[in-house]
Amino acid sequence: MIRINENYPKLSSSYLFSEVSRRVAAFQASHPGAQLIRMGIGDVTLPLPPSVVSAFRDAVQELAAEDTFHGYGPDLGYDFLRGPIAEIDYRARGADIDPGEIVISDGSKCDTANIQEIFAHDLHIAIPDPVYPVYVDTNVMAGRTGSFRDGRYGGLIYLDSTEENGFVPDLPKSRVDLVYLCFPNNPTGATITREQLAAWVDYARKSKALILYDAAYVAFIRDPSLPRSIFEIPGARECAIEFRSFSKTAGFTGTRCAFTVVPRDCKAWDSAGGAHSLLDLWSRRQATKFNGVSYPVQRAAAAVYTPEGQEETKALSDYYLGNAKIIREKLGGLGFACTGGENSPYIWVKTDMESWKFFDLLLEKAGVVVTPGAGFGMCGEGYVRVSAFNKKENVQKAMQKIAGAAKDLAV
Ligand code: PLP
C-alpha cells in the first residue's frame, strides 16, 4: 500500500497567501466593481532591464546554431557568471569569496529549502519569528518538528523579533546548531548592523553552529554602514552559508536564477567527530539532484554585472525604494509606527489591533490589500506587511485611500 509522508499533514492549514486570496475573492463577490489595490505582493512589477534582455536574446540565438549550441551546463554553474559574482558582490566589498565557492541555482526558495538535506536529522534549529514561511514549512516537511500547537511547531527554537529588539533577534539562550537569519528582512524590512551580525558570527563559531544567511533583498541596502554580506564579517567563512537571488535584484522572479555561497572553511561534523566540507556536500547534492540553470538565463544574470547592468538594476531597486518612501511617509504621517522601507522593499506597520482584523478593515474601508503579520508567525500579530513592489501610481492611490479611511482604522 502506498503511504504518505506523514509530516505533510502537520503543516498548519491556513497558508497565508491562500487565506488572503480567499478573503479578497469574498470581498469582490460581495462588492462587484470595487477597485482594489494590492499592496501585499512580494513580486516585482518592472520588466527585466535592457542589458539583461539583450544578453538573454543573444544566448537564445546561440542555441539556434550547431556550432554555438549548449547542452547540459557545468553542474555548479558557468564560470562566466560565478567569476563576476565573486568579484563584484564579494571581493570588491572586502569579502574573501572565490568563484569555486559559488553554486548557481534556480532560486533561493529551493536553496533555503533543500540545504537542510545535508545536515543531521536531530539538530536544534532556530527560526526567527516572524519569518519567511519557507524555512519553517520545509523543516516540517522533512520531519524535523513536532506538531503545530498554539501557533508554533514543537521542536523548533523560535527567536522573537519584536519592537523591543528592533526586529533583530537576540542570541539564543539554549543550544542551537542551525540558525536562519534574513537581512534585509522579509517581512519586517529590518536590517542588521555590522556589530549585531558580528555577535551572531562569534556565537556560531563558539558553539560550532551554522548560520544560514538569506540576503535575497541585499540590493535594497543604501546605508553604507550596513553589511551586505555575512562574509564581510571576519570569521564568517567558518560558520555561514549565504543565499542570494536575482529575483528582487534584477526582476528574475519569473526568469529564475540565484546562487548559494558555501566557503571552503565551512565544516560540519559526523557522529565520530570527523569534519566534512559543506561545499563538497552541497556540490554533491546539487550535482546529483539538479541539472543546472539554462544557458540563456545564466547569460542574462551575468549581464547584471556589466557596467550597464549594474546601473539598470540599481534603477529598479531605486524605483521600489521610492515607493517605500512614499508608504513610510504617508503611513507615518497618519500615526502608524513603521519599520523597514529605507533599506528594504517591505514596510512593517504596527496596527494596534489583530492583524487579520486590520486586514479586513483596510479591505472594506479603503479597498487596499496588505499582508497580515500574524501569517508570518506569532510575533507578527499586531502588524501588517506593506510591499513597495508596485507601480508608483498605485502606491500613491493606495495611500490616498488609506488617508481617506484613517478615521475607520482607529489611528
Ligand atoms: N528568501 C526570501 C526572504 C524571500 O522573500 C524570497 C521570495 O520572496 C526568497 C528567498 C525566494 O527567492 P527566489 O525567487 O530566488 O526563489
Side-chain angles (χ1 to χ4, degrees):
M1 180 173 59
I2 180 73
R3 293 176 51 220
I4 63 157
N5 174 346
E6 292 188 19
N7 296 308
Y8 275 64
K10 281 192 214 159
L11 289 164
S12 81
S13 57
S14 80
Y15 181 64
L16 175 61
F17 293 102
S18 33
E19 180 58 18
V20 167
S21 304
R22 195 190 65 74
R23 291 190 192 209
V24 169
F27 178 82
Q28 283 178 316
S30 57
H31 300 77
Q35 293 290 315
L36 294 183
I37 305 181
R38 292 167 198 271
M39 298 293 293
I41 304 170
D43 194 0
V44 296
T45 54
L46 293 173
L48 292 172
S51 53
V52 166
V53 173
S54 155
F56 207 167
R57 196 186 289 123
D58 290 350
V60 170
Q61 212 51 55
E62 282 183 58
L63 300 183
E66 204 171 336
D67 51 351
T68 50
F69 174 76
H70 293 267
Y72 290 124
D75 286 337
L76 308 181
Y78 283 100
D79 289 343
F80 63 71
L81 177 56
R82 297 163 93 197
I85 290 173
E87 203 45 54
I88 293 175
D89 283 341
Y90 293 97
R91 287 187 189 164
R93 303 196 55 83
D96 174 24
I97 294 297
D98 78 60
E101 297 171 318
I102 293 163
V103 182
I104 308 296
S105 77
D106 63 351
S108 287
K109 187 184 217 176
C110 19
D111 284 355
T112 54
N114 292 332
I115 194 82
Q116 52 175 295
E117 202 176 304
I118 65 173
F119 305 119
H121 203 261
D122 55 349
L123 296 178
H124 294 77
I125 300 173
I127 300 223
D129 179 352
V131 73
Y132 174 53
V134 171
Y135 312 152
V136 177
D137 290 358
T138 54
N139 273 291
V140 175
M141 290 169 170
R144 289 190 151 93
T145 72
S147 48
F148 189 69
R149 256 193 221 118
D150 302 326
R152 287 186 163 178
Y153 288 96
L156 290 179
I157 298 148
Y158 286 89
L159 304 171
D160 293 355
S161 303
T162 61
E163 204 176 348
E164 287 69 39
N165 57 26
F167 304 99
V168 176
D170 300 330
L171 297 176
K173 296 194 175 44
S174 58
R175 175 183 154 196
V176 160
D177 306 307
L178 185 67
V179 58
Y180 291 78
L181 293 179
C182 169
F183 291 104
N185 189 261
N186 177 14
T188 68
T191 49
I192 192 164
T193 66
R194 203 169 285 276
E195 294 69 32
Q196 287 169 320
L197 195 52
W200 272 101
V201 167
D202 189 46
Y203 168 85
R205 287 173 78 194
K206 284 189 177 136
S207 47
K208 288 191 167 173
L210 183 76
I211 299 170
L212 297 179
Y213 194 74
D214 185 345
Y217 296 95
V218 63
F220 295 87
I221 295 180
R222 292 293 179 273
D223 179 343
S225 73
L226 295 173
R228 293 190 180 209
S229 163
I230 195 166
F231 301 120
E232 291 174 32
I233 308 295
R237 282 184 55 87
E238 287 168 33
C239 64
I241 289 177
E242 181 165 294
F243 303 93
R244 292 236 192 152
S245 169
F246 292 94
S247 284
K248 309 296 159 72
T249 303
F252 274 57
T253 51
T255 307
R256 311 305 302 148
C257 196
F259 58 92
T260 289
V261 183
V262 190
R264 285 198 184 79
D265 308 356
C266 212
K267 303 266 189 280
W269 290 266
D270 60 31
S271 48
H276 298 258
S277 150
L278 288 179
L279 177 60
D280 288 351
L281 296 186
W282 182 241
S283 303
R284 183 66 204 261
R285 191 267 170 210
Q286 289 298 83
T288 304
K289 293 198 175 183
F290 179 62
N291 243 343
V293 177
S294 76
Y295 174 75
V297 168
Q298 291 194 58
R299 278 284 182 205
V304 167
Y305 295 96
T306 60
E308 307 77 53
Q310 291 281 286
E311 211 171 286
E312 290 164 7
T313 48
K314 181 169 179 296
L316 295 180
S317 48
D318 279 345
Y319 180 87
Y320 298 124
L321 284 169
N323 288 346
K325 188 165 187 277
I326 295 171
I327 297 166
R328 253 191 95 101
E329 286 178 358
K330 258 283 179 255
L331 296 184
L334 291 172
F336 290 101
C338 298
T339 302
E342 282 165 332
N343 295 283
S344 146
Y346 296 124
I347 298 97
W348 191 236
V349 183
K350 194 170 179 183
T351 57
D352 289 324
M353 68 177 83
E354 284 182 0
S355 32
W356 278 109
K357 186 169 174 213
F358 188 84
F359 170 92
D360 287 335
L361 261 181
L362 207 57
L363 182 60
E364 176 81 30
K365 305 290 181 190
V368 173
V369 182
V370 292
T371 312
F376 296 101
M378 271 170 84
C379 294
E381 184 54 280
Y383 292 87
V384 291
R385 187 191 74 175
V386 183
S387 165
F389 291 121
N390 215 321
K391 289 196 169 74
K392 186 176 173 188
E393 307 84 85
N394 285 344
V395 171
Q396 286 168 325
K397 221 183 287 167
M399 292 305 115
Q400 275 165 13
K401 286 180 158 215
I402 294 176
K407 64 175 180 358
D408 297 316
L409 302 170
V411 287

